[in-house]
Amino acid sequence: VGTAINEHQKAKVRHVACRLLYSCEPENPAEGAVRKQILMASKTGRTWLDCKKPQLADNFLSLAVKSLETLYSRLTSRGHGGADINTSKGDVEKDLLRVLSYQAESALAQENHQEAVACMQRCKDMLLRLPKETGYLSLMCYNFGVDSYNMKKYEESSFWLRETLAFDYLKRVCQHFESSPELGSALVLHIELLLQRGKELLGKQKIEDIITGTTVVVVDIITGTTVVVTKNFSEALQWYNYSLSFYKAGQMEPNLAKLQRNRASCLLQLEQLDKAKEAIKEAERCDPNSIFTQFSVYKIAVLENNVEKGNSILHESLELLKEKIPIVLIVILCFLSFQNEQQDTAMKALESLCEHSKDEAQVLTALRSVTNLSQFCPPDRAVLMGQKTCLLMAAAASLELCRKSPNSDQTEQLTQALEHIQICWEVWKTLKASGDNSKDPTNILLLLYEFEARAKLNDPKVETVLESVLELDNVEIKVLETMAALAMEPPAHFPLLCKKALRIALSLHRKQPQADLTRCRCVPISFYHGCSKPGGRQQNVFVVSSVPPLQPEDFPEMEILWLLTRAWNTGILLYSLAQYPEAERWCGLGMSFLRHLGSLQESYQTQVLLTDWEGAAMELDKAKKNLIMEE
């Protein structure tokens, strides 16, 4: 068909055709059928790879490998006498190498580095029999290296590209810049590469050679690579102690503080808490203002269950937020607190972070990180409480970001808020089943957050959320007032839900033994103010007119006058825009307040309203007649 169909359509056609072929063939197909299977399966897998669908490609590539191995086995069973047989076997091996390279490509696209390495290693083993394929495999590895580099996976990139060359270049750099103060960085990189490739003996030998040859960079080398070198904390500690011997007693410098912190980390891993505390004291002496030193002190305080000390360190750390402290440290502090059942300390850290940081996105990132890390803690009540609190705070942060974001970005923030809310509901259900939570406001907070998110997403399920609130025992009036406001806060527009919430709120107000009349008045006033904005959706007038009125004596005369004027002016504006039916509703609503005015009633009735209303009424009658004639 040529270019009549695109690559994706071609992949679908090949997908179906190949499936049919494999379904129709017997259990032991003829050699010709097997060759057809190989051709179709490998082409289908290749086409799905070109369409960036590696998961769909995998199954067909596996089928191709299986068919190739079947064909190779049949050819081998015939013996080695004929040249034709050897040629055929060579062709099969070449096809197998290609398919294996496709599998490596697919694995890499799915970020499965080890699987890709295994496939390419198998290809490499075949090069002795297929030397002409060396260039092809070299190009594949180069492409893999470039792809890995673009994905910022530098270690994988170096594996596929620049290993032997990398070591060669490092040797040249070290020789050329032998007297440079930056030589230590190159030496560290050389040792790290040796260790990452499993060449530990060479790495250790390199360190010993450096120590023998110079003492200038010993500390940087030892402190920067020892743990990576051995992956054995006892041996790492020996290297750190050896590095420490190069310092004089009482010497003070940041490198020494770094060395002591690393010693403390090893000692903590080896459960030698007292010695770790001594090392941290030395780090504090050398570099007391370092956030990394403070973090180590905090870690020990948590392990000792010293809440007072932990809070003190936390306060000092948060003060450094002004200096752009890495947020990951706050996240780790919270995680350590949760892990050691110090929930209050963790909560204080998160609350302080929210208070000190002006970057809502940064706060949201921290909350998500702590929530994700909490999944690795034992699922006890303390951790669940911490997870619940983080999710609530994350939902609140997402909603706050939404309020400050342009309309085009709000959907993403609201969707993220809903995700946090849904996960929090699950955590909350588990918590409710495990203890008394009667005084915990989580239920209400989750319902309010969910109501706001769904209302602003124009989600019909928002009505269900309001029903869930009404099903609660002892619903607070303030909650209903908040939901009424949220129902009309742009971009939300649910006037009927707003009316429902307001009616119930006012009804509950009246049932109070001592009703707060000032607060009662604020409910309809604030809503009238929002509904009567010029250009607003005029069906709001139905909501306003149906809100249950308070008794006239509940409103001061000037407040009634404000309501009257607001409604009347909205009606006149709509009249000037030739929106006569809506104008009539608003003007009628304004006039309904006249009877509640005292001394001002006669003045407003004769001087303003009736004068304008006469002309408006005539136009309205005319508009109605025109509508009837049109019908």
Side-chain angles (χ1 to χ4, degrees):
V1 294
T3 58
I5 62 174
N6 60 36
E7 197 71 8
H8 197 267
Q9 291 169 326
K10 192 182 294 183
K12 288 183 176 180
V13 173
R14 287 180 170 168
H15 183 117
V16 174
C18 190
R19 285 287 187 199
L20 286 171
L21 177 69
Y22 272 87
S23 299
C24 294
E25 293 296 343
E27 188 175 345
N28 293 308
E31 185 176 309
V34 175
R35 291 184 183 276
K36 192 182 294 185
Q37 287 178 343
I38 293 166
L39 177 66
M40 294 182 71
S42 59
K43 279 199 170 188
T44 306
R46 178 67 260 174
T47 312
W48 277 130
L49 277 181
D50 293 337
C51 293
K52 310 297 183 188
K53 301 283 186 181
Q55 288 147 335
L56 290 174
D58 282 346
N59 192 39
F60 291 99
L61 295 176
S62 296
L63 287 173
V65 169
K66 185 177 179 181
S67 296
L68 280 163
E69 290 173 342
T70 298
L71 179 58
Y72 192 84
S73 176
R74 290 188 185 181
L75 293 172
T76 304
S77 66
R78 295 180 189 175
H80 303 280
D84 290 343
I85 295 293
N86 291 334
T87 302
S88 296
K89 285 170 63 178
D91 291 339
V92 171
E93 285 188 321
K94 189 185 297 184
D95 289 341
L96 179 59
L97 182 140
R98 295 280 170 148
V99 175
L100 287 170
S101 72
Y102 296 163
Q103 287 186 316
E105 183 179 343
S106 178
L108 203 66
Q110 297 175 68
E111 301 187 9
N112 191 339
H113 177 69
Q114 294 303 321
E115 180 67 24
V117 171
C119 291
M120 290 305 284
Q121 186 60 51
R122 191 174 170 189
C123 291
K124 188 177 177 182
D125 294 339
M126 297 169 69
L127 285 181
L128 287 175
R129 299 185 299 278
L130 301 167
K132 292 182 180 180
E133 297 299 318
T134 303
Y136 169 76
L137 287 185
S138 178
L139 181 61
M140 290 293 289
C141 289
Y142 176 82
N143 290 337
F144 291 169
V146 172
D147 290 342
S148 300
Y149 180 84
N150 290 334
M151 291 189 288
K152 298 184 179 180
K153 297 186 175 182
Y154 302 119
E155 290 182 19
E156 293 179 11
S157 178
S158 68
F159 173 85
W160 292 114
L161 295 174
R162 278 154 292 288
E163 234 176 53
T164 305
L165 290 175
F167 287 123
D168 186 49
Y169 288 145
L170 278 170
K171 286 178 184 177
R172 293 187 198 177
V173 168
C174 293
Q175 290 169 359
H176 188 72
F177 298 99
E178 196 169 12
S179 59
S180 169
E182 300 298 323
L183 177 61
S185 299
L187 292 170
V188 168
L189 180 57
H190 194 166
I191 294 169
E192 286 181 346
L193 284 174
L194 287 170
L195 302 169
Q196 288 169 9
R197 299 297 172 260
K199 301 174 181 178
E200 293 186 6
L201 289 175
L202 282 175
K204 292 178 185 179
Q205 184 62 49
K206 189 73 176 173
I207 290 175
E208 290 174 359
D209 291 344
I210 292 167
I211 294 173
T212 304
T214 177
T215 60
V216 176
V217 293
V218 166
V219 175
D220 284 340
I221 297 300
I222 302 303
T223 58
T225 63
T226 303
V227 173
V228 183
V229 172
T230 60
K231 296 184 181 178
N232 180 310
F233 294 106
S234 297
E235 191 173 347
L237 186 60
Q238 292 176 21
W239 283 107
Y240 286 132
N241 290 339
Y242 184 72
S243 183
L244 187 63
S245 68
F246 287 91
Y247 286 95
K248 298 177 182 177
Q251 192 172 344
M252 293 180 64
E253 63 168 87
N255 272 340
L256 182 56
K258 179 181 176 182
L259 177 58
Q260 293 289 14
R261 288 195 299 266
N262 288 345
R263 289 185 68 246
S265 295
C266 287
L267 289 163
L268 287 174
Q269 292 289 341
L270 296 170
E271 298 183 357
Q272 298 180 29
L273 185 59
D274 291 337
K275 289 184 179 180
K277 288 169 66 176
E278 291 175 11
I280 288 301
K281 282 182 183 178
E282 284 298 304
E284 282 188 286
R285 183 182 65 81
C286 297
D287 193 8
N289 295 323
S290 166
I291 184 61
F292 299 102
T293 300
Q294 295 299 316
F295 170 72
S296 298
V297 177
Y298 182 89
K299 187 173 183 179
I300 288 177
V302 168
L303 292 173
E304 289 188 314
N305 202 26
N306 189 339
V307 177
E308 185 177 348
K309 179 71 171 176
N311 287 337
S312 173
I313 296 299
L314 178 62
H315 177 74
E316 292 176 26
S317 300
L318 290 166
E319 284 298 314
L320 293 173
L321 268 174
K322 300 169 185 175
E323 301 176 11
K324 299 296 181 185
I325 169 179
I327 199 164
V328 69
L329 292 181
I330 295 296
V331 172
I332 296 173
L333 292 182
C334 298
F335 173 64
L336 284 173
S337 300
F338 281 135
Q339 199 174 35
N340 289 274
E341 299 184 1
Q342 294 182 21
Q343 183 191 344
D344 292 341
T345 304
M347 288 301 99
K348 186 172 181 180
L350 291 172
E351 289 165 6
S352 300
L353 176 64
C354 296
E355 181 183 344
H356 285 75
S357 178
K358 296 179 181 178
D359 187 342
E360 286 92 353
Q362 185 188 56
V363 171
L364 188 56
T365 300
L367 292 169
R368 287 175 182 159
S369 300
V370 176
T371 301
N372 292 335
L373 283 173
S374 293
Q375 296 174 7
F376 299 102
C377 297
D380 57 21
R381 185 172 177 81
V383 172
L384 288 172
M385 287 292 287
Q387 220 175 350
K388 178 209 73 173
T389 306
C390 288
L391 287 164
L392 276 174
M393 294 172 76
S398 293
L399 291 172
E400 183 62 26
L401 267 177
C402 169
R403 297 182 194 109
K404 296 181 180 180
S405 300
N407 289 339
S408 58
D409 297 337
Q410 288 187 358
T411 300
E412 181 181 354
Q413 301 297 343
L414 292 168
T415 303
Q416 287 181 351
L418 270 183
E419 288 175 4
H420 299 313
I421 291 164
Q422 294 306 316
I423 298 171
C424 195
W425 274 123
E426 296 302 316
V427 174
W428 178 235
K429 288 176 185 175
T430 305
L431 279 169
K432 283 200 296 186
S434 64
D436 179 24
N437 301 278
S438 55
K439 295 182 180 180
D440 194 316
T442 298
N443 233 28
I444 288 294
L445 286 173
L446 281 173
L447 288 168
L448 279 173
Y449 291 165
E450 186 173 354
F451 186 89
E452 179 177 356
R454 293 196 185 280
K456 290 180 177 176
L457 284 170
N458 197 29
D459 186 340
K461 291 182 180 178
V462 67
E463 189 169 356
T464 307
V465 182
L466 177 58
E467 294 298 328
S468 298
V469 171
L470 298 178
E471 290 171 3
L472 296 175
D473 297 330
N474 303 318
V475 181
E476 290 188 23
I477 297 171
K478 186 177 180 180
V479 172
L480 292 168
E481 292 173 357
T482 302
M483 296 183 87
L486 290 173
M488 298 299 291
E489 184 178 286
H493 185 77
F494 288 89
L496 295 179
L497 285 184
C498 179
K499 179 188 78 172
K500 186 174 184 178
L502 283 178
R503 289 176 67 91
I504 298 170
L506 289 171
S507 176
L508 292 174
H509 269 304
R510 291 199 187 103
K511 292 179 181 178
Q512 299 295 314
Q514 294 181 334
D516 184 348
L517 297 181
T518 303
R519 189 170 164 191
C520 287
R521 293 198 300 270
C522 287
V523 175
I525 287 173
S526 61
F527 186 62
Y528 292 150
H529 180 75
C531 287
S532 59
K533 288 180 181 177
R537 302 185 185 180
Q538 302 309 324
Q539 66 262 41
N540 292 339
V541 70
F542 294 113
V543 182
V544 175
S545 59
S546 61
V547 171
L550 300 174
Q551 296 303 314
E553 59 269 19
D554 293 341
F555 278 87
E557 193 171 44
M558 292 309 295
E559 289 187 8
I560 294 175
L561 181 59
W562 184 91
L563 291 169
L564 182 155
T565 306
R566 189 75 186 181
W568 181 258
N569 288 344
T570 302
I572 294 300
L573 175 63
L574 292 168
Y575 167 69
S576 69
L577 297 172
Q579 297 183 23
Y580 301 122
E582 291 84 1
E584 181 180 17
R585 295 189 189 104
W586 279 105
C587 289
L589 178 64
M591 293 182 69
S592 69
F593 288 111
L594 274 172
R595 64 179 181 274
H596 298 306
L597 286 175
S599 59
L600 296 174
Q601 180 178 355
E602 185 176 351
S603 173
Y604 272 82
Q605 184 170 357
T606 57
Q607 293 180 21
V608 182
L609 299 179
L610 291 181
T611 303
D612 290 331
W613 180 250
E614 184 177 353
M618 291 177 63
E619 292 294 333
L620 287 168
D621 286 339
K622 189 187 297 184
K624 288 178 182 176
K625 289 176 182 177
N626 288 339
L627 286 173
I628 293 170
M629 292 294 289
E630 287 175 7
E631 289 176 3

